[in-house]
């Protein structure tokens, strides 16, 4: 019998076998047919500490037995208050206000709306958003508008709003800085970036110096700077935030994925005092109108509080540095194989491009690789011809070896 579940990113009607996962721990997934699968991408980049970190699981169970859900407009609860205070302690000091939502895409929508609201409430309306070429910020209409246009959002293209696209930095990045400088003259509302690495756009890296210089251009022209750290946050790139490596503090910061250690959906947008103040008034028209049913769900907030405790009590960044080093060795081994191009790594993220005549998102290489890795009991999801590894920080050497051996074999088969 076919399943009534409509699966994302799946070619319906092609009878793809979809593994049914029953339980997981650490870097391992277990399927109904008894397979142990290595989760090489932290289940879409979320499970930073691995599946079911004991402290986070315990916090979830405890909170579920106490308060499961409460409207978060005009009411609050202890986990949300503790989480906001905890975030203020470890995030840049100027990001003084925490706004809750429930997914990475929504945290981006909130940041965009706050940026536009900031200008509107100062009676200097600005509407244009600047974006970096090849970016990805989510799948809602606003988040798609500030992301790369391609086959996946083509049906909605007429609805996506117009943005200023700044070319992705190559070489010394001067062309990017010049384009940003020129675009900043026209009083855009904000510039949104994925710091140091563009994820879904192909794991494309650029140096911290350029992030700092892009920030400086925005500052000079009074353009709000939005850092989307939905993927890069929580140690992924070697530091708690990728922005730290460039000494950059954004005006708005989007966090999700590893916020709860990848256990439950939750997101925050952190904002500076001037942005908060611009929405502060007895005039109801200046209020920030954004809410959703599950905003700041208490169980998800309790999971995030437990994540902060893990960060406080465990050597998370040492684990990150160790994993970065262990991946680097294996990536160096891959780099010498035929068919492997552009090996690159940033913190716990490693990627290579495999030679592919067709290339791009519509190439059938990615689905073929996906099936091949799935048959080898590996969760790896190539982006076009880019294969990346983004494992939980607890992954052991044996599982890493399996991942890199499978990528090497795939590269050799393709090059043959
Ligand atoms: N921004 C970035 C940089 C992301 O990588 C993602 C998700 N991959 C999102 C936003 C959207 O997050 P979500 O899927 O939770 O909506």
């Amino acid at each position: 019998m076919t399943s009534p579940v409509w699966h994302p990113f799946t070619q319906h009607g092609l009878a793809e076998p979809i593994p049914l996962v029953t339980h997981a721990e650490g870097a391992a997934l277990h399927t109904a047919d008894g397979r142990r699968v290595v989760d090489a991408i932290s289940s879409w980049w979320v499970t930073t500490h691995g599946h079911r970190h004991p402290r986070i699981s315990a916090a979830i169970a405890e909170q579920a037995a106490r308060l499961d859900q409460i409207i978060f407009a005009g009411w609050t609860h202890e986990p949300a208050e503790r989480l906001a205070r905890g975030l203020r302690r470890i995030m840049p000091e100027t990001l003084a206000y925490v706004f809750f939502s429930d997914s990475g895409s929504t945290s981006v929508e909130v940041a965009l709306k706050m940026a536009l609201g900031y200008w509107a409430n100062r009676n200097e309306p600005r509407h244009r958003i600047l974006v970096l070429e090849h970016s990805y910020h989510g799948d809602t209409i606003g988040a798609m508008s500030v992301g790369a246009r391609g086959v996946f959002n083509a049906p909605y293209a007429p609805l996506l709003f117009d943005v200023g696209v700044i070319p992705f930095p190559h070489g010394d990045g001067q062309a990017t800085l010049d384009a940003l400088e020129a675009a900043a003259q026209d009083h855009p509302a904000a510039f949104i970036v994925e710091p140091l690495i563009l994820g879904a756009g192909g794991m494309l890296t650029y140096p911290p110096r350029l992030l700092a210089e892009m920030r400086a251009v925005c500052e000079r022209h009074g353009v709000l700077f939005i850092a989307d750290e939905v993927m890069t946050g929580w140690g992924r790139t070697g530091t708690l935030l990728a922005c730290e490596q460039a000494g950059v503090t954004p005006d708005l910061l989007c966090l999700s994925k590893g916020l709860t250690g990848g256990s439950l959906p939750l997101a925050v947008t952190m904002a500076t005092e001037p942005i908060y103040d611009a929405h502060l008034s007895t005039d109801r028209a200046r209020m920030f109108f954004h809410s959703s049913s599950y905003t700041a769900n208490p169980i998800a907030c309790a999971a995030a509080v437990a994540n902060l405790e893990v960060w406080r009590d465990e050597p998370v960044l040492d684990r990150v540095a160790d994993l970065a080093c262990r991946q680097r060795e294996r990536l160096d081994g891959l780099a010498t194989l035929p068919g492997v191009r552009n090996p690159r790594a940033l913190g716990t993220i490693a990627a290579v491009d495999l030679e592919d005549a067709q290339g791009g998102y519509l190439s059938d290489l990615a689905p073929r690789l996906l099936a091949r890795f799935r048959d080898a009991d590996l969760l790896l999801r190539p982006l076009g011809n880019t294969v990346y590894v983004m494992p939980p920080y607890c992954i052991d050497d044996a599982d890493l070896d399996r991942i890199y051996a499978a990528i090497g074999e795939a590269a050799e088969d393709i090059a043959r």
Side-chain angles (χ1 to χ4, degrees), residues 28-372:
L29 306 169
H30 300 276
T31 65
D33 55 357
R35 293 157 57 192
R36 177 188 182 278
V37 176
V38 179
D39 186 349
I41 59 163
S42 304
S43 286
W44 245 334
W45 323 345
V46 296
T47 50
T48 41
H49 313 296
H51 292 271
R52 292 198 295 115
H53 186 291
R55 196 146 177 185
I56 296 175
S57 295
I60 291 170
E62 215 171 283
Q63 186 58 43
R66 196 188 300 264
L67 173 66
D68 50 356
Q69 170 65 4
I70 173 78
I71 180 173
F72 200 68
W75 297 81
T76 189
H77 51 80
E78 194 58 31
E81 298 295 326
R82 285 181 63 197
L83 177 56
R85 283 197 299 272
L87 287 169
R88 278 195 62 165
R89 262 195 301 279
I90 61 169
M91 293 296 161
E93 212 181 319
T94 47
L95 297 171
Y97 291 93
V98 178
F99 192 93
F100 289 97
S101 60
D102 45 24
S103 72
S105 305
T106 322
S107 72
V108 167
E109 299 284 346
V110 165
L112 297 174
K113 286 172 68 174
M114 281 181 175
L116 299 176
Y118 170 82
W119 292 111
N121 289 341
R122 289 162 53 108
N123 296 321
E124 302 171 53
R126 298 183 177 199
H127 299 113
R128 196 164 176 76
I129 309 284
L130 304 180
V131 307
L132 206 52
E133 184 190 15
H134 306 310
S135 297
Y136 176 83
H137 296 289
D139 279 347
T140 48
I141 294 285
M144 277 194 290
S145 295
V146 293
R149 310 287 158 109
V151 288
F152 288 134
N153 52 31
Y156 329 108
L159 287 181
L160 304 185
F161 57 76
D162 195 27
V163 293
V165 181
I166 308 300
F168 180 79
H170 297 286
D172 67 0
Q174 197 51 50
T176 301
L177 295 173
D178 291 347
L180 183 59
E181 185 78 46
Q185 318 279 332
D186 293 337
H187 309 294
F191 179 41
I192 181 167
V193 286
E194 291 171 84
L196 304 189
I197 180 164
L198 274 53
M203 300 298 159
L204 308 173
T205 57
Y206 62 93
R209 174 186 64 83
L210 283 176
L211 182 64
E213 291 187 34
M214 291 192 293
R215 181 19 159 170
V217 172
C218 289
E219 197 143 357
R220 255 199 324 278
H221 294 280
V223 178
L224 294 176
F225 189 87
I226 306 173
D228 175 354
E229 295 241 21
V230 167
M231 177 184 82
T232 51
W234 306 103
R236 267 294 160 210
T237 68
T239 40
L240 176 63
L241 296 179
C243 277
E244 282 172 45
Q245 296 177 41
V248 158
T249 304
D251 298 301
L252 289 153
L253 171 68
C254 305
L255 294 171
S256 187
K257 296 194 188 273
L259 171 61
T260 58
S263 59
L264 285 173
L266 186 71
V268 293
T269 305
M270 297 187 69
T272 58
E273 194 150 358
I275 293 172
Y276 178 81
D277 283 352
H279 291 87
L280 201 62
S281 169
T282 49
D283 175 2
R284 283 177 59 81
R286 282 176 56 163
M287 270 171 38
F288 185 62
F289 283 99
H290 193 102
S291 63
S292 65
S293 319
Y294 288 105
T295 290
N297 169 262
I299 305 173
C301 288
V305 170
N307 174 50
L308 292 188
E309 289 167 0
V310 170
W311 272 84
R312 184 193 62 203
D313 299 338
E314 296 185 19
V316 180
L317 284 179
D318 291 347
R319 271 177 215 149
V320 162
D322 177 62
L323 173 57
C325 187
R326 292 185 292 133
Q327 286 218 98
R328 189 83 241 182
E329 285 164 18
R330 288 160 176 86
L331 189 66
D332 288 346
L334 270 189
T336 58
L337 298 179
V340 172
R341 299 277 172 271
N342 198 15
R344 53 202 183 271
L346 180 66
T348 66
I349 307 169
V352 294
D353 300 333
L354 300 188
E355 218 162 68
D356 171 31
Q358 207 177 344
Y361 262 113
L362 281 187
S363 161
D364 60 10
L365 179 64
R368 274 194 289 127
L369 286 172
L370 181 73
R372 176 186 181 125

